[in-house]
Amino acid sequence: GNSVTQMEGPVTLSEEAFLTINCTYTATGYPSLFWYVQYPGEGLQLLLKATKADDKGSNKGFEATYRKETTSFHLEKGSVQVSDSAVYFCALSDNQGAQKLVFGQGTRLTINP
Amino acid sequence: GAVVSQHPSRVICKSGTSVKIECRSLDFQATTMFWYRQFPKQSLMLMATSNEGSKATYEQGVEKDKFLINHASLTLSTLTVTSAHPEDSSFYICSARMLVVGTSGGYNEQFFGPGTRLTVL
């Protein structure tokens, strides 16, 4: 079945550091890929998405590129801020039927001033 | 726009009782909603897909008689945990699916509620 594996946390960085959170997937067909963010006390929010190979999703300074050859969708940001502290989830949808989401285990990110 | 609420946000109940959790799409209609369960420091696990006007579709290993889902309107789905036991204690999250139309076409996006923390004593 479909699955998502992402970098285990927690990850702690200093403000303005470069961020990478790795995500790889296993899926049949051509899934869509997502990064969701969960801020403390809030629900999950879609951060960015990519629906086909070589697409780059971007939002709020975060980027991720859909790499079919390496089955990866790594999240990157050039300069993190304290407000980026949250839990980040990589997910895929098989684009069939109800378009269910399969999530990775989540990575807790803490940014220190 | 695209706000999803859950009620209650937190509930504590005694073992053997039933608990109902509501999921509402506040500013859009959703024919499809999803219920997830999240254990501490773990990922979200899909429990079931809730379809307005029809029976829910449960994931493998989820007891449908234990977790009753009702999606009676386009803005409300409910999850009832029947005869709750301590092992049912968890964080339950719902989402509602909406068609989003963008510059490159339309796609279905899930909008998530803030979750409900259930503790069964």
Side-chain angles (χ1 to χ4, degrees):
Chain A
N2 297 337
S3 66
V4 176
T5 302
Q6 66 180 96
M7 180 173 159
E8 280 199 35
V11 174
T12 303
L13 296 172
S14 297
E15 204 165 22
E16 299 183 4
F18 183 86
L19 169 71
T20 300
I21 301 178
N22 290 337
C23 171
T24 57
Y25 68 90
T26 302
T28 54
Y30 303 94
S32 293
L33 302 175
F34 307 84
W35 277 100
Y36 283 85
V37 58
Q38 186 176 32
Y39 297 105
E42 298 184 18
L44 272 74
Q45 302 173 27
L46 179 64
L47 179 60
L48 53 83
K49 67 173 177 58
T51 56
K52 60 183 186 296
D54 299 325
D55 268 1
K56 177 186 283 188
S58 61
N59 186 25
K60 299 181 181 180
F62 291 89
E63 292 184 341
T65 301
Y66 189 144
R67 301 284 188 202
K68 190 169 173 60
E69 64 276 14
T70 54
T71 62
S72 66
F73 193 55
H74 304 320
L75 182 68
E76 296 182 336
K77 185 172 185 180
S79 177
V80 291
Q81 306 299 314
V82 172
S83 57
D84 294 326
S85 298
V87 181
Y88 292 82
F89 292 91
C90 185
L92 70 80
S93 167
D94 60 10
N95 295 321
Q96 296 180 10
Q99 299 177 327
K100 298 183 287 189
L101 288 170
V102 175
F103 286 89
Q105 63 266 45
T107 302
R108 182 173 298 278
L109 173 66
T110 301
I111 306 300
N112 294 321
Chain B
V3 178
V4 176
S5 70
Q6 278 184 245
H7 178 80
S9 58
R10 189 180 295 266
V11 57
I12 300 172
C13 69
K14 293 182 178 180
S15 187
T17 61
S18 294
V19 174
K20 181 185 284 188
I21 302 170
E22 293 185 348
C23 177
R24 293 182 185 274
S25 56
L26 298 185
D27 49 5
F28 66 101
Q29 294 182 331
T31 55
T32 302
M33 293 184 175
F34 300 89
W35 286 97
Y36 297 85
R37 186 171 176 177
Q38 185 179 27
F39 291 100
K41 298 184 179 180
Q42 294 189 30
S43 186
L44 282 76
M45 300 299 296
L46 179 64
M47 299 175 64
T49 302
S50 173
N51 303 297
E52 188 269 336
S54 65
K55 290 183 179 180
T57 305
Y58 290 82
E59 295 300 300
Q60 193 171 9
V62 177
E63 301 175 59
K64 55 184 172 183
D65 294 331
K66 171 82 171 168
F67 299 100
L68 300 179
I69 291 172
N70 187 334
H71 193 159
S73 79
L74 289 172
T75 59
L76 174 64
S77 175
T78 60
L79 169 68
T80 301
V81 184
T82 63
S83 186
H85 291 286
E87 58 265 30
D88 298 324
S89 298
S90 191
F91 194 54
Y92 292 87
I93 301 173
C94 74
S95 71
R97 194 179 76 183
M98 184 178 83
L99 179 65
V100 177
V101 179
T103 54
S104 57
Y107 65 94
N108 283 306
E109 182 174 340
Q110 288 187 33
F111 295 88
F112 288 81
T116 296
R117 171 83 52 200
L118 170 63
T119 302
V120 184
L121 303 176

